[in-house]
Amino acid sequence: MRDYGEERRNELEALEAIYPDSFTVLSENPPHFTITVTSEAGENDETVQTTLKFTYSEKYPDEAPLYEIFTQLNLEDNNVADILKLLALQAEENLDRNLNTSNIQFLEDAGNNVEVDESLFQEMDDLELEDNDDDPDYNPADRERDLTD
């Protein structure tokens, strides 16, 4: 069983280490936090700044976080829209990666206990399989020998 709470706590710790001066936890349950991003890229070398607010759901990281632009300074409307699009795209990409990781985790948790229903393979003689003369390993004599055994 996946421990979402532990995963969220670990991620918050990682974010705090990555953004020590711009990361602020607003609430731990449910997890709300902000990250402030600052740049000197504005017109006339003005400072451009935005604070992004994130909220994790109960099933995060299997569900995307809620996010919004909490505050902004010298940020144009088209830049706000671009930031929100980028966040949506990144959340979607991370969900695809996370689902792959969760499938791997599921298989690892199951261990080597794979059950095969052999009855699915009992009636294979009824299948019409094409001979493939293009296959360099294909030998029609092998098929004839298998049918007589």
Side-chain angles (χ1 to χ4, degrees), residues 23-139:
F23 177 80
T24 304
V25 174
L26 303 175
S27 167
E28 291 196 21
N29 195 9
H32 294 288
F33 61 91
T34 61
I35 297 175
T36 301
V37 181
T38 305
S39 175
E40 300 293 329
E43 292 182 22
N44 303 321
D45 292 327
E46 64 190 7
T47 299
V48 176
Q49 180 174 306
T50 184
T51 300
L52 305 170
K53 179 181 174 185
F54 297 89
T55 303
Y56 289 161
S57 69
E58 286 294 315
K59 291 190 177 181
Y60 178 87
D62 286 340
E63 294 177 352
L66 300 174
Y67 51 85
E68 64 181 285
I69 294 183
F70 195 57
T71 63
Q72 61 178 320
L73 174 66
N74 298 322
L75 197 60
E76 296 178 14
D77 290 341
N78 62 332
N79 295 125
V80 170
D82 289 343
I83 290 170
L84 293 174
K85 285 179 192 174
L86 180 63
L87 288 171
L89 178 65
Q90 193 64 51
E92 184 64 33
E93 286 178 10
N94 288 340
L95 280 178
D96 293 341
R97 281 190 216 126
N98 194 46
L99 291 176
N100 289 336
T101 303
S102 67
N103 288 343
I104 292 168
Q105 184 64 44
F106 173 77
L107 293 173
E108 287 175 354
D109 290 347
N112 293 326
N113 300 329
V114 176
E115 294 183 26
V116 176
D117 184 356
E118 292 181 20
S119 68
L120 297 173
F121 302 97
Q122 300 295 325
E123 303 292 326
M124 291 193 65
D125 292 335
D126 295 339
L127 294 176
E128 294 182 24
L129 301 174
E130 294 181 25
D131 291 338
N132 190 353
D133 295 334
D134 295 333
D135 185 355
D137 296 327
Y138 176 73
N139 184 350

Side-chain angles (χ1 to χ4, degrees), residues 1-17:
M1 185 78 177
R2 191 168 194 162
D3 186 351
Y4 292 107
E6 182 178 346
E7 287 189 49
R8 288 190 301 267
R9 284 188 297 277
N10 290 341
E11 186 160 323
L12 290 174
E13 285 179 27
L15 288 169
E16 187 172 25

